[in-house]
C-alpha cells in the first residue's frame, strides 16, 4: 500500500534527551571509524613485533572486515527484535573486552581472532546506534542535522586516526587498541541513562535462522572474494568460486525469505525506490573514498616519495572537507531534496578525482592537489547525508535496525569493492611505456567513472522528497 507520509511516524512524545543521546551514538561511530584507521597505520609495527608474514598481517584487517560486513544484517535485525539499546550495550561490552584482548595479544593468532570478534562487536554497535538515532529523530530537519553529525563525526574519526595513529604506535602498537577502553567504559555507563529502549513489539521474537545463515554466508563469501582480488585477480579460480558461492547463497536467501513467516529481511522493503537508491548511493560513497585513498597513497609514497606521516598530514584535507560537507548537507537536503544533493555530491567527487590527474601530469604535490582532495571530500560529505536520508526515510520504525544494517553493509561492502576495483585498474594500466604513472592516472579516472555511473542510477531511482513506497 502506498503511503504519503515521510518515513517513520513521529514519536508521541519526543525523547527528552535525544540530543545528548546523539552525542553518545556519534561517539560510538567515531570509535569504530577511529579503530579501523589506527590499525591500518599500526600494521607494520604489529607485523614486526608478532613476526607476521605479509599474508597473515592482512588478516588483522580482513578478519574484522569479514565479521563486520557478514553480520551487519543479523545485528540490525537482532536490535529490532531484542531491543536496540540492549544490543548496543552488548556490542559495546564486547568492544571493550576485545580491545583489552587485542592490546594484550601475545601472538598473531590471538590478535587475528580478536579482530574477528571486534567485527562482531562493530556489527552490533553500528546498525543499532543508527537505528536508535532514526527512532529518536523523526524524519525532517532534526533528523537531517542528526545524520549530518553522524557522518561528520565519521570523517573526524578518520582525521584523528591519521593524526593519532603514528603517535600511539610510537608509544607501542598495543595502545591503538587500549585507547578504546576508557571510551567504551564511559559509553556503558551513560547508555542506560541517555538512550531510549525500542524494539519491534509486533513481531514474534524468533529468528529466521535459515535466512541468517544464507545471508551471512553470502556476505562473507563476497567480502572474502573482494579481499583476495588484489593478489589473486578477478578471474582466478578461487575468486570465481567464491563469487559463485555468494550468488548461490544469495539466491537461496531470496527463496527462503519469500516463504518465511518471520523473515530476516522482508523482501517487500526493496519495493522502496528510496531505500534501494539510497543504498546504491551509499555503496558508491564506500567505494570512492577507499578507491581514491588507495590510489593517492600508492602514488604519493611510491612515485612522489612521501613518508607515511607526511602523506597522512597532507591527506587530512579530504576528511576535514568531508566533515564540513556533511554539516552543510543537512541544510541542503532540507532545501533541495535528496536527489539533487546526492547528485551534487557525486559530481563533486568525480570532479575531485579528475583534478588529481593534474598532480600525476605535474609529477609533484601542488596546490591543485589539495583542491582536488577538498572538492572530493566535500562531495563525499554531502553525498553521505543524502544517501543515508534517502535509505532510511521510507522505513517503518519496526524495521529501523534492519534498514540501518543494510545501509552500513552497503558502506562496508563498497569500501572493499572500491579497493579491489581500483587496485585492479592500476595494475592493468601500468605498462612498460607509461610505467606506474599510467596506472595511477587510470585509478583516478576509474573513481570519476564510478561517481558518474552512480549519479545516473540514483538520479533515476531517487525522488527529491522521498516517500515511504510501502507500508
Amino acid at each position: 500500500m502506498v503511503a504519503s507520509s515521510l518515513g517513520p511516524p513521529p514519536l508521541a512524545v519526543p525523547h527528552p534527551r535525544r540530543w545528548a543521546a546523539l552525542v553518545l551514538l556519534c561517539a560510538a561511530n567515531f570509535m569504530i571509524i577511529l579503530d579501523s584507521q589506527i590499525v591500518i597505520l599500526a600494521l607494520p609495527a604489529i607485523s614486526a613485533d608478532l613476526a607476521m608474514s605479509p599474508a597473515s598481517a592482512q588478516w588483522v584487517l580482513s578478519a574484522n572486515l569479514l565479521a563486520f560486513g557478514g553480520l551487519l544484517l543479523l545485528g540490525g535485525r537482532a536490535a529490532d527484535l531484542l531491543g536496540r539499546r540492549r544490543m548496543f550495550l552488548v556490542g559495546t561490552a564486547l568492544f571493550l573486552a576485545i580491545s583489552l584482548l587485542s592490546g594484550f595479544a601475545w601472538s598473531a593468532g590471538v590478535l587475528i581472532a580478536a579482530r574477528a570478534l571486534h567485527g562482531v562487536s562493530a556489527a552490533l554497535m553500528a546498525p543499532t546506534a543508527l537505528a536508535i538515532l532514526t527512532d529518536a529523530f523523526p524524519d525532517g530537519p532534526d533528523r537531517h542535522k542528526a545524520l549530518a553529525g553522524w557522518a561528520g563525526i565519521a570523517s573526524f574519526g578518520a582525521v584523528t586516526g591519521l593524526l593519532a595513529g603514528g603517535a600511539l604506535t610510537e608509544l607501542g602498537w598495543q595502545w591503538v587498541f587500549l585507547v578504546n577502553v576508557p571510551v567504551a567504559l564511559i559509553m556503558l555507563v551513560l547508555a542506560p541513562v541517555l538512550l531510549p529502549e525500542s524494539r519491534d513489539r509486533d513481531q514474534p521474537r524468533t529468528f529466521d535462522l535459515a535466512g541468517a545463515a544464507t545471508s551471512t554466508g553470502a556476505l562473507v563469501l563476497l567480502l572474502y572474494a573482494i579481499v583476495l582480488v588484489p593478489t589473486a585477480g578477478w578471474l582466478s579460480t578461487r575468486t570465481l568460486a567464491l563469487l559463485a558461492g555468494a550468488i548461490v547463497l544469495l539466491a537461496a536467501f531470496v527463496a527462503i525469505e519469500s516463504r518465511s513467516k518471520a523473515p530476516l529481511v522482508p523482501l517487500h522493503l526493496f519495493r522502496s525506490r528510496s531505500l534501494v537508491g539510497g543504498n546504491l548511493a551509499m555503496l558508491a560513497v564506500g567505494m570512492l573514498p577507499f578507491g581514491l585513498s588507495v590510489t593517492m597513497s600508492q602514488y604519493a609514497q611510491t612515485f612522489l616519495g612521501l613518508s607515511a606521516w607526511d602523506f597522512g598530514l597532507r591527506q587530512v584535507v579530504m576528511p576535514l572537507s568531508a566533515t564540513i560537507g556533511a554539516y552543510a548537507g543537512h541544510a541542503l537536503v532540507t532545501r533541495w531534496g535528496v536527489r539533487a544533493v546526492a547528485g551534487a555530491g557525486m559530481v563533486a567527487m568525480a570532479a575531485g578525482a579528475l583534478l588529481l590527474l593534474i598532480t600525476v601530469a605535474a609529477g609533484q604535490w601542488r596546490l591543485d592537489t589539495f583542491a582536488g582532495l577538498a572538492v572530493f571530500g566535500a562531495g563525499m560529505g554531502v553525498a553521505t547525508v543524502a544517501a543515508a536520508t534517502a535509505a532510511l526515510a521510507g522505513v517503518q520504525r519496526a524495521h529501523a535496525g534492519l534498514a540501518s544494517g543494510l545501509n552500513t553493509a552497503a558502506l562496508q561492502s563498497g569500501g572493499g569493492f572500491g579497493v579491489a576495483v581500483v587496485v585492479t585498474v592500476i595494475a592493468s594500466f601500468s605498462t612498460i611505456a607509461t610505467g606506474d604513472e599510467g596506472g595511477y592516472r587510470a585509478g583516478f579516472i576509474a573513481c570519476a567513472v564510478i561517481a558518474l555511473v552512480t549519479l545516473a542510477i540514483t538520479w533515476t531511482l531517487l525522488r527529491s522528497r522521498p516517500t515511504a513506497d510501502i507500508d
Side-chain angles (χ1 to χ4, degrees), residues 71-465:
L71 294 173
L72 276 167
L73 295 184
L74 188 58
R77 194 57 175 160
D80 287 337
L81 297 180
L82 301 179
R84 295 172 186 124
R85 183 178 65 186
R86 178 182 301 169
M87 298 312 297
F88 178 81
L89 286 169
V90 170
T92 303
L94 183 59
F95 179 74
L96 169 62
I98 296 308
S99 294
L100 283 169
L101 178 60
S102 299
F104 292 105
W106 56 91
S107 70
V110 170
L111 182 59
I112 290 171
R115 295 306 294 167
L117 289 173
H118 176 272
V120 176
S121 72
L124 291 174
M125 290 174 67
T128 304
L130 187 55
I132 295 172
L133 184 155
T134 58
D135 189 66
F137 292 90
D139 197 22
D142 280 354
R143 182 187 285 186
H144 300 163
K145 292 177 184 176
L147 287 173
W150 176 268
I153 204 67
S155 299
F156 185 65
V159 172
T160 306
L162 289 170
L163 295 178
L168 287 171
T169 303
E170 288 294 321
L171 295 174
W173 62 263
Q174 293 84 353
W175 285 101
V176 305
F177 303 111
L178 296 178
V179 72
N180 298 330
V181 173
V183 181
L185 282 171
I186 293 171
M187 289 194 296
L188 284 173
V189 171
L190 293 180
V193 179
L194 297 178
L195 301 184
E197 182 59 285
S198 62
R199 69 178 178 88
D200 181 6
R201 299 183 183 277
D202 297 328
Q203 296 293 329
R205 294 175 67 176
T206 58
F207 284 96
D208 174 13
L209 295 180
T214 50
S215 64
T216 300
L219 282 170
V220 168
L221 289 180
L222 175 62
L223 292 170
Y224 187 29
I226 293 169
V227 167
L228 290 178
V229 164
T231 54
W234 285 99
L235 299 180
S236 70
T237 301
R238 186 186 299 182
T239 301
L240 292 176
L242 288 168
L243 291 174
I247 292 171
V248 169
L249 286 176
L250 180 60
F253 170 71
V254 172
I256 291 167
E257 297 306 278
S258 65
R259 293 171 173 80
S260 175
K261 293 181 179 179
L264 176 71
V265 181
L267 297 181
H268 69 270
L269 289 177
F270 294 102
R271 293 205 300 268
S272 167
R273 294 162 59 96
S274 181
L275 181 142
V276 173
N279 280 312
L280 286 174
M282 190 61 78
L283 183 74
V285 168
M287 290 181 70
L288 288 164
F290 278 89
L292 185 120
S293 293
V294 166
T295 308
M296 200 68 212
S297 176
Q298 291 189 17
Y299 176 72
Q301 295 186 63
T302 62
F303 195 80
L304 298 184
L306 298 179
S307 67
W309 172 250
D310 194 12
F311 170 69
L313 282 176
R314 297 179 188 219
Q315 177 83 349
V316 161
V317 66
M318 186 173 81
L320 279 178
S321 63
T323 304
I324 297 170
Y327 282 103
H330 83 84
L332 296 175
V333 165
T334 302
R335 184 172 182 177
W336 293 347
V338 293
R339 182 166 67 171
V341 176
M346 294 300 163
V347 170
M349 284 191 282
L354 293 176
L355 275 172
L356 292 172
L357 288 173
I358 300 173
T359 300
V360 180
Q364 58 182 318
W365 192 292
R366 307 191 320 173
L367 185 61
D368 41 38
T369 308
F370 286 107
L373 291 172
V375 170
F376 184 94
M380 179 175 69
V382 298
T384 301
V385 174
T389 300
L392 300 173
V395 178
Q396 296 177 354
R397 287 175 56 202
H399 299 309
L402 175 60
S404 299
L406 284 169
N407 200 239
T408 310
L411 181 65
Q412 292 298 316
S413 301
F417 271 121
V419 172
V421 168
V422 171
V423 167
T424 303
V425 168
I426 291 173
S428 300
F429 285 86
S430 296
T431 64
I432 296 175
T434 63
D436 290 337
E437 181 181 339
Y440 297 133
R441 185 181 291 111
F444 290 127
I445 292 174
C447 290
V449 170
I450 291 169
L452 294 176
V453 169
T454 306
L455 168 65
I457 295 171
T458 55
W459 192 267
T460 302
L461 288 174
L462 294 180
R463 301 180 177 124
S464 268
R465 305 290 172 186

